[in-house]
Amino acid sequence: MTSVDDAVTATAAGPGPRRAWLGMSVLLLPVLLVSMDISVLFLAMPTLSADLAPSAAQQLWILDIYGFLLAGLLITMGNLGDRIGRRNILLAGSAVFGIGSILAAFATGPEMLIAARALMGIGGATLLPSSLALISVIFPAARQRGVAIGVWTAFFAGGSAVGPVVGGFLLHHFWWGSVFLVNTPVLLVLLVAGPFLLPEHRAVDRGLLDLRSVALSIGGILPVVYGVKHAAAEGLDAEALVTFALGVLLLVLFVRRQRLLDDPLLDLRLFANRTFSLAIGASLTGMMSLAALSYLASVYLQSITGRDPLAAAWFGIPMAVAVFVFSIGGSGIGRALGTRLAFVVALLASAVGNLMLLGVGVDGGVWWYVAGSALTGVGYGVAFTLVSDVSVSSVPPERAGSAAATSETSFELGNALGLALLGSLATAVFRASSGTSGTLGDELREAGSDAGRVATVQESFVTGMHTATTVGALLLVVMAAATWFFGSHKQTGAAEARRAH
């Protein structure tokens, strides 16, 4: 950003330490809510499904639409924030997010819930880029800013892991809509305190927002993911092929347009830097595997082992703690081991943790999940913090804002693709193994007291879960190998030198 408005210029030296950290605490509120809302439905789905009776396709859209719109609009909203002000868009997005939360809490059918989740995704897309951008205004000193970004990353990564825990507590005491309604008082604090504790930040010489690029990016992502989901659920038919091909075509047009624009939504030159590209790949594969692991494990703990939402949530605490702690310490581990080696170790630790779920079965092995998920939490925590750090420090300072927006998009897109691709893979294996076409809940209800049929359905789900988490582990291993063999010593060293200063 080349210039800012008077409010920012007046506070160029940054607020005092006490006011700065008060402002930081306000910025963490939307980060925590957005990341929690990615995973909060994992535990709520069985209860919600029994009440609203969504179809298999509707269940996937309830889970997916929030992440898809969040991923597709992050870069757009980041650009819009430059034009109308980061604080302005943060507060406006909070209001939209709150309205969507209320509508979701009181949804009377799956269609209404999908629409409400879409509105939450639109509002949520304004919160992450604006909150991260405002940190550089609140903490102008490099050392303080580094600490603040580490805390921001810990809340972002930890929020996704702690979402099921909070959701389990709420579901134990209230109805399923409470997992959305809890957002409202938190957002009210942000809306009241934000104008007093957060400075404004606005670039004054940006051109008009390229609406064609916005349409092409959203229009490309949704058909591609829908085509993959439909193929996994219904087979590779004409609908799957046509929608997938349409999405690919629109994404190709999006990329071509970005190459021609002087002020693109996505600066493709960033990917010429191998360190940056590998960091983005690590966040994408990491979030894919984490999303699939969290969702499938939540269903397993409730529908297979028979635990209620709160009891299932307690088993997620070790991973939540590991993600949060190692997110805060990730930068220090990177300095101790070197960025490239730290990435490789973190990705391999996450892969081993995913593979440990092979010890989970219908009749036992839940502690394999606890140990495995805790180990993945260590790996994810380190890797995600390094992604935020490397994405900014591996590029010239004048391109750091675009790099940060791209890394956030990769996190959200990875989560969405994890649910769509690995989740659909688990569903496809479940249906092929059990010889059914419905969901796990549908088949268990139809089986009734038929113990043999119940056992077959449960074994089929566990087989699907094993397949999906194993594929997730393989993706992490491939990403670790790519980081080791293609990571540039020269670029990594330069990035570390910039971070040291």
Side-chain angles (χ1 to χ4, degrees):
M1 302 171 190
T2 56
S3 60
V4 296
D5 68 4
D6 292 341
V8 177
T9 303
T11 58
R18 184 170 180 269
R19 184 179 177 85
W21 283 106
L22 283 173
M24 181 66 185
S25 66
V26 171
L27 286 180
L28 292 176
L29 295 177
V31 172
L32 190 61
L33 286 182
V34 171
S35 58
M36 280 177 55
D37 268 80
I38 294 172
S39 59
V40 74
L41 273 186
F42 292 165
L43 283 175
M45 279 305 294
T47 307
L48 182 156
S49 297
D51 190 10
L52 299 183
S55 65
Q58 287 173 330
Q59 286 187 39
L60 283 175
W61 278 115
I62 290 170
L63 287 168
D64 292 343
I65 191 64
Y66 174 81
F68 291 163
L69 290 178
L70 198 65
L73 286 172
L74 271 171
I75 293 178
T76 297
M77 293 304 182
N79 279 266
L80 186 61
D82 285 343
R83 292 162 172 80
I84 69 173
R86 292 291 186 180
R87 186 181 66 189
N88 286 338
I89 200 169
L90 178 73
L91 298 178
S94 298
V96 172
F97 193 89
I99 293 171
S101 298
I102 294 172
L103 292 175
F106 297 103
T108 56
E111 296 84 1
M112 181 177 176
L113 182 56
I114 292 170
R117 291 283 288 171
L119 191 62
M120 292 173 66
I122 294 171
T126 70
L127 303 181
L128 289 179
S130 54
S131 63
L132 186 57
L134 283 172
I135 288 178
S136 62
V137 181
I138 298 174
F139 298 97
R143 184 179 295 274
Q144 289 182 328
R145 185 167 60 248
V147 173
I149 289 176
V151 174
W152 187 95
T153 305
F155 272 77
F156 173 70
S160 183
V162 81
V165 178
V166 175
F169 176 81
L170 292 172
L171 290 169
H172 184 74
H173 296 282
F174 308 102
W175 94 113
W176 59 264
S178 62
V179 301
F180 302 113
L181 203 60
V182 71
N183 295 335
T184 307
V186 179
L187 290 171
L188 285 176
V189 173
L190 173 62
L191 290 171
V192 171
F196 300 99
L197 295 176
L198 300 176
E200 185 54 286
H201 184 271
R202 180 188 299 121
V204 297
D205 59 351
R206 298 293 298 274
L208 295 175
L209 191 67
D210 185 47
L211 298 180
R212 190 178 301 178
S213 293
V214 174
L216 288 173
S217 63
I218 297 295
I221 291 172
L222 290 179
V224 165
V225 179
Y226 176 82
V228 173
K229 287 196 318 176
H230 184 82
E234 308 295 339
L236 194 63
D237 57 12
E239 182 179 351
L241 291 173
V242 170
T243 53
F244 183 84
L246 175 62
V248 170
L249 174 62
L250 292 175
L251 288 177
V252 170
L253 294 176
F254 171 77
V255 170
R256 291 183 61 182
R257 184 164 182 80
Q258 302 318 292
R259 295 182 182 277
L260 300 175
L261 295 174
D262 294 329
D263 188 11
L265 285 181
L266 178 62
D267 188 353
L268 299 176
R269 294 172 298 176
L270 293 172
F271 294 95
N273 184 308
R274 279 189 289 171
T275 304
F276 175 83
S277 296
L278 290 170
I280 296 301
S283 65
L284 192 68
T285 54
M287 282 303 298
M288 283 181 66
S289 60
L290 174 58
L293 169 67
S294 299
Y295 171 61
L296 294 172
S298 296
V299 175
Y300 166 82
L301 289 169
Q302 292 181 83
S303 298
I304 304 300
T305 70
R307 290 176 169 85
D308 65 24
L310 183 59
W314 288 119
F315 286 94
I317 290 179
M319 181 170 71
V321 172
V323 169
F324 189 86
V325 171
F326 282 86
S327 291
I328 294 177
S331 293
I333 294 173
R335 288 191 297 269
L337 299 180
T339 301
R340 187 176 70 152
L341 179 58
F343 259 128
V344 171
V345 171
L347 291 170
L348 291 179
S350 298
V352 172
N354 273 270
L355 289 175
M356 288 174 68
L357 264 72
L358 291 173
V360 172
V362 173
D363 299 319
V366 69
W367 292 108
W368 279 99
Y369 160 70
V370 174
S373 64
L375 182 58
T376 63
V378 173
Y380 291 136
V382 174
F384 293 160
T385 297
L386 291 176
V387 167
S388 299
D389 194 5
V390 169
S391 295
V392 174
S393 63
S394 63
V395 298
E398 64 272 14
R399 296 161 67 187
S402 180
T406 304
S407 70
E408 293 167 28
T409 302
S410 70
F411 279 118
E412 302 307 326
L413 186 58
N415 180 83
L417 290 176
L419 292 174
L421 302 182
L422 297 181
S424 295
L425 173 63
T427 299
V429 172
F430 163 71
R431 290 178 174 175
S433 178
S434 63
T436 65
S437 59
T439 65
L440 173 64
D442 293 337
E443 297 305 323
L444 288 175
R445 283 192 294 271
E446 289 184 13
S449 59
D450 185 344
R453 183 58 186 164
V454 169
T456 298
V457 170
Q458 291 180 331
E459 287 285 358
S460 298
F461 175 83
V462 171
T463 300
M465 180 178 67
H466 286 167
T467 303
T469 54
T470 299
V471 171
L474 292 176
L475 291 174
L476 291 167
V477 171
V478 170
M479 194 65 237
T483 302
W484 181 254
F485 290 108
F486 298 109
S488 169
H489 291 288
K490 181 177 180 180
Q491 287 180 327
T492 302
E496 290 173 348
R498 279 191 289 274
R499 285 199 300 274
H501 291 84

